[in-house]
Amino acid sequence: MTDRQAKIAVVTGAGSGIGRAVSVELLRAGWSVVLAGRRTEALEETAVQVPQGPWLAVRTDVSRPEDVEALFTAAVERFGRIDLLFNNAGTFGPGGVPVEELPYEAWRHVVDTNLNGAFLCAQAAYRRMKEQDPQGGRIINNGSVSAHAPRPHSVAYTATKHALTGLTKSLSLDGRPYRIAVGQIDIGNAATDMTARMQTGALQANGRTAPEPVMDVADVARTVRHMAELPLEANVQFATVLATAMPYIGRG
């Protein structure tokens, strides 16, 4: 790793899927990227895709306040400031479990990761962005089309993604005096390991199982980069990026 003049990003869930794609896109664009995730090996696999990029891997469980504080402390110690948080870490939880059968422990795990983890990371980033010189920065929360409409048997995931929209709006309002811009990207059917089942068959609202189209995750990464590279005087408040023909708009 070598330092160079670049903006500094923290990406959570950077070891796979959308987090990996966004990290690689930012590194290729000249950003310095702090890669956060539960598995150090996976973070390093992300980083080596752009060997010349300045990066730092920090093992982090976003549901643990002490891990989050250590992440942002390490980011500032290594790179001096934080210009972007891509608040991406998340989990679907157990799939296909009816609400009446969902264990509380499973509900709590999804809430702790998707909502509490997003809050902890946003709070830590907000504190640094407010105090650093020059002041300000950007937070992009990874919502989901589930922030608008649920899939069957997805009560924990859907509830957290709806809550994330409220988090985004509150942070956006509270960040105005400090040049902290906050937006949200809602993604539908990006091709990752987490969405592999979509192409073979996903449960639909009518009770049938049907394959669904997906899109290249690199198209999501380019959208996040566009949002990230706007001047702080401009903000994409909400963006929805989805596979064009997925059953979302209308009745399928």
Side-chain angles (χ1 to χ4, degrees):
M1 294 179 291
T2 58
D3 283 320
R4 62 188 180 198
Q5 292 297 318
K7 289 196 171 184
I8 315 305
V10 175
V11 178
T12 65
S16 63
I18 292 167
R20 172 172 286 179
V22 169
S23 298
V24 168
E25 178 71 19
L26 293 174
L27 284 166
R28 286 175 175 164
W31 287 67
S32 298
V33 180
V34 181
L35 308 162
R38 297 187 182 193
R39 296 178 297 126
T40 304
E41 300 81 4
L43 299 176
E44 292 173 348
E45 289 171 5
T46 297
V48 298
Q49 296 189 33
V50 189
Q52 74 278 16
W55 56 272
L56 173 68
V58 182
R59 186 180 181 280
T60 308
D61 179 345
V62 297
S63 70
R64 296 171 58 88
E66 61 271 26
D67 279 20
V68 172
E69 184 61 25
L71 165 65
F72 284 87
T73 297
V76 173
E77 287 179 350
R78 176 68 172 82
F79 293 113
R81 62 180 287 113
I82 297 168
D83 297 294
L84 171 70
L85 164 64
F86 181 45
N87 223 351
N88 167 74
T91 180
F92 286 133
V97 178
V99 62
E100 70 273 17
E101 298 176 11
L102 183 70
Y104 174 72
E105 293 76 13
W107 164 274
R108 182 63 183 267
H109 174 66
V110 176
V111 172
D112 280 345
T113 302
N114 294 6
L115 179 57
N116 295 342
F119 163 73
L120 289 170
C121 290
Q123 183 184 58
Y126 188 102
R127 287 169 174 162
R128 273 78 177 179
M129 291 172 178
K130 180 180 176 181
E131 299 301 325
Q132 64 195 8
D133 185 21
Q135 188 181 61
R138 189 179 305 274
I139 299 170
I140 301 174
N141 292 324
N142 184 355
S144 169
V145 294
S146 291
H148 305 267
R151 288 185 176 277
H153 306 321
S154 66
V155 63
Y157 183 78
T158 299
T160 58
K161 293 303 183 179
H162 273 66
L164 202 62
T165 298
L167 180 68
T168 297
K169 290 179 178 179
S170 289
L171 290 170
S172 183
L173 177 60
D174 292 343
R176 286 179 185 174
Y178 311 110
R179 301 188 75 244
I180 299 173
V182 185
Q184 181 172 314
I185 183 167
D186 295 327
I187 301 163
N189 286 17
T192 68
D193 291 343
M194 290 181 70
T195 60
R197 65 183 177 86
M198 298 298 178
Q199 298 178 74
T200 57
L203 182 63
Q204 305 297 305
N206 63 6
R208 297 179 179 177
T209 298
E212 295 186 13
V214 297
M215 62 177 169
D216 191 335
V217 69
D219 293 322
V220 174
R222 283 191 288 271
T223 303
V224 173
R225 178 186 164 194
H226 167 70
M227 295 169 70
E229 292 185 341
L230 289 170
L232 291 178
E233 291 74 22
N235 187 40
V236 176
Q237 188 68 73
F238 293 98
T240 303
V241 183
L242 71 166
T244 304
M246 71 174 287
Y248 168 62
I249 298 297
R251 299 190 180 190

